[in-house]
Amino acid sequence: MLTNAAIEALVRDDEVHRDAYTSPEVFAHEMTHLFANTWVYVGHASQIAAVGDFITTTIGTAPVVMVRHTDQSIRVLHNRCPHKGTRVANDPCGNTGKFFRCPYHAWSFRTDGSIAAIPLPHGYNDTGFKQSEAAKGMTAVGAVHVYRDFVFARLSPHGISFDDYFGASLSSLDNMVDRSPVGKLEIAGGVLRYMHKCNWKMLVDNLTDTCHPMVAHESSAGTAVALGKTLPAMHPAVEIYAPFMSPYTFYEGMGIRVWPNGHGHTGVKGSIHSNYSTVPGYFEQMVAAYGEDRAKAILDENRHNTVYFPNMTMKGPIQALRIFKPIAADRTLVESWTFRLVDAPDQLLERTILYSRLINAPSSPVGHDDLEMYERAQDSLHSDANPWVNMQRLARPADSGPVVNGTSELQMRNQFQAWKHFMTVTP
Amino acid sequence: MIAATDLIAFVQHEARLIDEQRFEEWLALFTEDARYWMPLDPAQTDYKLHQSLYIEDPVLLRLRVERLKGAKTYSQKPKSRCHHLLQTPLVEQADHTAGRFQTWTPFHYVETRLDEQTLYAGWATHTLVLVDGALRIQLKRIDLVNPDSAFGSIQLFM
């Protein structure tokens, strides 16, 4: 068990100790504290449209099931039988009807987690069972909040409220949802699952790291640019790859905005997503739905990556969301989800799917570029020569935010201040 | 006249070109409208509105081949190597009039880099057409036995 003082010693103003990335003990503390005290993305309401629909997932390393209860509300339960601990729902998704039934001893539970039936119930008469932990059934997580169909949960029953935790950062989610003419998204197209042998925070750090694309991705994006010059017409993949090779000045101008509690985003003034070709008919649909001024305002907001601390990120302009699921200090599962803008042209979903495959798939050259850097770091951080990871770029009073030069490492520092807080706070 | 043995030899030759990393010769096997497709779902019929692990036209295949050669391709320092083990392809369709053929080939594929070796298993379905009298790949569909599993980087070709 790490003391608060030991945790706090890992985070300096602009350096982070490598143990934050490599230590199994720190990782265990993250699971019991950071991932319990923060609001973590669980899933999307469109995945469980009907009563009894469920998905299984994790919050930190805790297995949970998100289910549509019989009263239509969304519940998030610990996916563990209160009897012997067996995982109750095992498929990635499905419909369980009105009850979950444990496959081991047939204990059954309503979709709010309460016990519906236990075989041979008289065997628990006069045992004090009603006062037991097991009698609580499949326990619900501490708190659930559904924001525009995005489901978040806090494992701890006490702590910061959803509104206080996310505050103005919800503007990024709003923009993604507003891009549908009817203000609604649906998960579509399947999920890409990419295993990373590195700490989950390396991926979070990378989201606002704008000094790496033109270097680490020269192999993929640079090759795409060179190949594009030999083609008779713009290829859809080149259109997506090419902006990665933008010069430093472009990324400096993009800007970074930070919010409290570790949230932030790149692309305050445009981004690599600003200049995609238009999809016929879409703008007209948006004008009809919102009026011209509002439609333009929605579509002119082209934020790049928004970090929803601790482990979710999204891209409004292309309706993509990634979750960095921590498995161990040196192992992270990256899930890439794509959304359909309800009532918008299919070409937008097609572009989203193309983007995720080109950039975030196990088969993606850009993914290969990044993962190589993370895995090299995960290994070489074991060097004792220098135990500190540097996050000092533009760490000076004149560049203190909330909106700063797009090559600043301010958001990385912001994340680690939030990390330190939620690792040590008493909920 | 294309015989079954020609089709089988073609599929085996294609795998050998990949294993020997003779990528220029390999790219030349594809038609201009070809696709190299690895679905994310075994029953998948659409690749536009449903995600795939790969759905590559010749431009994207060329991009990968050029990238593998690049001096700044750090994920290939050191380089990956690969190995195909094919079951004898079955000829599933042979339309001699149209010059169109389909083969089905169960395979094991190993990709290795540094001290790691990863085994993938699946079935390759080749749709082959005659172009100026020579067999060419119009579609290579690769169905992994576990396309929904989480994978690390897949850098070469199955």
Side-chain angles (χ1 to χ4, degrees), chain A residues 352-427:
Chain A
T352 300
I353 285 171
L354 172 67
Y355 185 94
S356 288
R357 183 172 63 254
L358 290 176
I359 310 301
N360 297 318
S363 51
S364 153
V366 166
H368 302 162
D369 294 336
D370 281 327
L371 182 52
E372 177 71 9
M373 299 305 126
Y374 308 148
E375 291 185 348
R376 288 192 192 193
Q378 193 70 37
D379 286 346
S380 288
L381 280 175
H382 287 93
S383 162
D384 290 324
N386 167 13
W388 295 96
V389 174
N390 189 284
M391 300 185 178
Q392 212 155 4
R393 192 174 165 73
L394 294 175
R396 50 198 180 205
D399 297 298
S400 60
V403 174
V404 295
N405 179 306
T407 61
S408 172
E409 289 176 337
L410 177 62
Q411 170 56 14
M412 297 180 208
R413 300 189 288 275
N414 186 42
Q415 285 156 198
F416 272 98
Q417 291 306 316
W419 185 85
K420 184 165 71 173
H421 173 72
F422 289 106
M423 285 285 272
T424 55
V425 69
T426 305

Side-chain angles (χ1 to χ4, degrees), chain A residues 200-212:
Chain A
W200 64 277
K201 295 187 294 301
M202 289 186 181
L203 285 131
V204 188
D205 294 346
N206 175 268
L207 292 169
T208 58
D209 181 328
T210 58
C211 288
H212 88 280

